[in-house]
Amino acid sequence: MDDQTGMMSEDEAPWRRRVDRFLPPLIGVGLFIAIGALLFFVSSAGRERDQALAEQRRSYEIVTLARRLDATVAKAESSLARYVISMDKDIGRQYQDDWNTAAGELNVLSRATRNDPVQRQLVDQLEAAFTQRGQALNDIALRTTYDQKVASLGKFYEASKAQSLRRITSLLEQVIDTENARLRERSLNVERAGASLETVMTTYRLVGLVILIAALILAWIARSAIKGRRQEQRQIDEEYYRAQALEKAVAERTAELEQAYGKLQRESEDKARVEDSLRQMQKMEAVGQLTGGIAHDFNNMLAVVVGGLELARRRVGDNAEADRHLSNALEGANRASALTRRLLAFARSEPNLPEAHGLDPLITDMVELLDRSIGDQIKVALDLDCGGWQVYTDRHQLENTILNLAVNARDAMDGRGTLQIRTRQARLQAGDIGECIAGEYLRLSIIDTGCGMTPDVLERVFEPFYTTKEVGKGTGLGLSQVFGFVGQSGGEIELLSKPGKGTEVRLYFPRHMTSGSTIDGEKPGSVDDEKDVLASADGPDTALSILVVEDDPRVLAQTRSALAELGHEAICCDHPAKAVDMLGRSGNVDMILSDVLMPDMTGPEMIAALPNQYKSIPVVFVTGYAGDIADNRMFEGHLLLRKPYTLAALKKTIRDAATRLPGSRTNAATV
C-alpha cells in the first residue's frame, strides 16, 4: 500500500506542478476573457440605452417644435386680426415679428427632421402651406397698411376659412402624432435597454461573485478588500443616479414654472395692448364720426351762404363797395370750405376721388401748411415749371404725400436746412424709371440737405414698418404709403441719395391730357374768375328741367334759386323716396341733381334703384361729406360736385353732364 501510495504521489507530482504552473494563467486568461465579454456587453447595453434615450429626446424636441410653431402661427393670426381691426401700426409690426418667428421655428423643425424621410415629407408640405398662408396674410396686412379696412376685413374673413390654415394645422397634427407614436415605441426601447442593462449588471454581479470565489483560491486576503470596494462603488453609483434623477426633476419643474410665468406675463401684456388699441380705435372712430357730422352740416350751411352771397352779388349792380364786401365774404366762405376738407382728410372721411388738377398751384397753396409743419429753421424753396400740364390723382392724398416727404426731409436735416420742391415736364421711354411706360410725365422732386442714406437703407426704404428713426419717432409706414399712392396713380418713384449729401425723391405722374379744370369747388378761384366763367363766350346754357333731390330745406331753396339764376327749371324733391313719383309726374326731366347723404336712402342708392326708363338721365351728385359711402364705384359714370359750390362750378358741372349721351358711361369721368 505504501509503495502504491508513494508511486501515486510521484505520479501526481508532475501533474500538480503542471496544474500549479498553468492554473494561475488559466484563471487569469479566463478572468480576462470574462471581464472583456462583460465589458463588451455592458458597453453594448449602454450604447443601446444611450441611443434609445437620444431618439426619445429627439422625438420630444420635434413634438415641442411642432407645438411651438402651432402656437406662434396662432399668435401671428391673432396679431393680424387685431391689426386689421385697430389699424395700429405697432400691432402690424408685432404681426410681422410673430410671423417671422414662426418662419424661424419652421426652419428649426425642418433641420430637426432632415434625416427622417417620413417627417421630411410632412414638413415639406407644411412649408408649402406655410408659404401660401403667409402670402394671403401679407396681402391682408398690406391692404390694412393702405387703410383699406373693409377689404382687409373681408380678406381676413376669407383667410380664416382658407384651406391653407386647416392644412397647416392638419400637417402639424400629423407631425406630432407620428412623433408621439415613435415616442411610445422609443420609450419601450428605453425600458428594454434599461432592462438589458440591468441584466448585464446582474451578470456583472454574478461574474463578480465568480471572480470573488476565484480570488479566494488565489488570495484569501484580498477578498475582504475587494468586497468592500465593490459595495462602496455600488453605493456611489446609486447615490450618483439618485442625484442625477433629482437634478433632472428640479430642472424640469423649474422650466415648467418659467414657461408658465412667461405665458402669464405675455397674456397680461397682450391684454394691455389690446385694451389700449381698442381705446385708441374708439377715440379715432369718435373723432371721425364727429368730424364727418360737423363737416356735413357745416358744408350745407356754407352752401347756403355761398349761394346767397353769389346771388346777392349778381343783384348789387355797379355798387363797388357792396361788391367788395360780398367778395370778401365769399373768400371767407371758401376758406372755411377748405378748412372743412382738411378736417375730412384728417379723419379719412372722404372717398378716393381722383381728379385733374395742376401740380404747381397745389404746391403753391401748400407753402403755408409746409412752413407750419417743418418749422421756421428750414427754408422752403420752390422751383415750379410744369407749364400748365395736369395730373389725375386724388388731391388730398397727393397733399399728404408731399407733407409726408417734407416731414421726412425735416427729420433728415435735424430741423435745419433747405427744402427744395421742384416740378418739371418729363418725357420718358419705356423702362427709364422702374416699370413706367413711354409717355409724358410730370416730375415732382423733394430735395433736402440732410444726412442722406446708405445703399443698404435705400434697398429697404419702401418696406412697411422699416424705419431708421428712434423708437417712438417713426412708424416705418410713410414711404411705403407714398410708394403705394404713386403706384395707384400710374406713376413711378426714384430715390437719389448718398450719405452726407442729402436726398432727392422724384415722383413721376402721367400727364393728364385734358383742357378741363376742377369743377367741384375743391380749389375755388377768385371772385373775378367766377365772374369770367359765368360771363364766358359760351353764352347761356339751354334751359333744362332738373330734378333736385335734397333733404335740407335751406339748401334746397338755395339750389332752386341758383338754377333759376342760370336759366334752368328746378323740380324740388325733399326725400329720395319721392323721386320716382316726381319723375313720373314731371314728364321729361333732363337731369337729376341729388345730395349724397339723406335720410333712409343715400343718393347713389336712390339712383341705383330707379326704373330702367330713367337710367339714361344724366346725374350730378352734390355732397358736403361722403364718408359713409364705402363703395366709390357707386359714383362711377356720374359727376360729383362738392358743397359749397359756386355758380360757376354749378354751371360748368351741369354743362358737362348735359353733353353726355343718354345712358353712356364711356365718357363719364368721376369728379
Side-chain angles (χ1 to χ4, degrees), residues 406-419:
V407 171
N408 281 348
R410 176 201 65 190
D411 296 339
M413 294 185 289
D414 200 17
R416 291 177 179 273
T418 300
L419 175 67

Side-chain angles (χ1 to χ4, degrees), residues 302-570:
L302 283 176
V304 177
V305 171
V306 171
L309 289 173
E310 284 210 313
L311 292 175
R313 285 179 60 243
R314 294 169 69 89
R315 299 291 187 272
V316 298
D318 297 330
N319 190 330
E321 184 175 0
D323 185 74
R324 178 170 57 83
H325 289 309
L326 291 173
S327 298
N328 289 336
L330 275 173
E331 185 69 22
N334 288 333
R335 288 180 177 273
S337 175
L339 175 61
T340 304
R341 275 186 289 276
R342 290 190 185 277
L343 288 173
L344 290 174
F346 166 75
R348 310 292 295 176
S349 298
E350 285 201 311
N352 180 16
L353 300 176
E355 59 177 321
H357 58 84
L359 196 56
D360 291 351
L362 180 142
I363 296 173
T364 302
D365 292 336
M366 286 187 65
V367 171
E368 183 179 354
L369 175 62
L370 290 173
D371 287 337
R372 289 198 303 268
S373 300
I374 64 179
D376 298 333
Q377 301 299 317
I378 296 179
K379 178 183 177 182
V380 179
L382 301 182
D383 183 9
L384 309 179
D385 188 16
C386 279
W389 285 14
Q390 291 186 330
V391 294
Y392 190 71
T393 64
D394 186 290
R395 186 183 189 93
H396 298 314
Q397 291 197 34
L398 181 55
E399 289 177 347
N400 289 337
T401 295
I402 296 174
L403 185 60
N404 228 331
L405 294 174
V407 171
N408 281 348
R410 176 201 65 190
D411 296 339
M413 294 185 289
D414 200 17
R416 291 177 179 273
T418 300
L419 175 67
Q420 184 177 15
I421 303 179
R422 180 187 301 163
T423 60
R424 291 290 188 274
Q425 300 174 0
R427 292 171 176 82
L428 302 180
Q429 300 298 322
D432 281 355
I433 304 296
E435 299 179 358
C436 68
I437 61 175
E440 295 179 334
Y441 290 80
L442 276 77
R443 186 178 69 201
L444 168 62
S445 300
I446 310 294
I447 307 169
D448 65 61
T449 57
C451 59
M453 291 181 280
T454 63
D456 293 339
V457 175
L458 281 173
E459 289 181 359
R460 302 186 57 192
V461 72
F462 295 120
E463 294 181 8
F465 304 112
Y466 176 75
T467 179
T468 58
K469 299 178 182 179
E470 298 177 5
V471 177
K473 293 188 177 181
T475 63
L477 293 173
L479 285 177
S480 65
Q481 290 176 342
V482 171
F483 182 82
F485 165 69
V486 173
Q488 290 175 351
S489 302
E492 286 289 344
I493 186 169
E494 182 182 18
L495 270 176
L496 304 176
S497 182
K498 290 184 178 180
K501 296 186 178 180
T503 300
E504 178 179 356
V505 182
R506 294 180 176 180
L507 308 181
Y508 292 85
F509 296 99
R511 178 188 179 186
H512 185 63
M513 304 298 294
T514 179
S515 59
S517 60
T518 304
I519 66 172
D520 63 350
E522 178 68 27
K523 290 295 294 180
S526 65
V527 174
D528 293 334
D529 293 337
E530 302 291 346
K531 290 181 178 180
D532 293 340
V533 173
L534 287 171
S536 63
D538 294 340
D541 293 333
T542 302
L544 302 175
S545 177
I546 301 175
L547 176 66
V548 181
V549 185
E550 171 63 61
D551 63 300
D552 191 319
R554 296 165 299 180
V555 179
L556 184 62
Q558 186 276 326
T559 304
R560 181 180 57 216
S561 300
L563 291 175
E565 185 68 22
L566 296 177
H568 302 298
E569 177 188 0

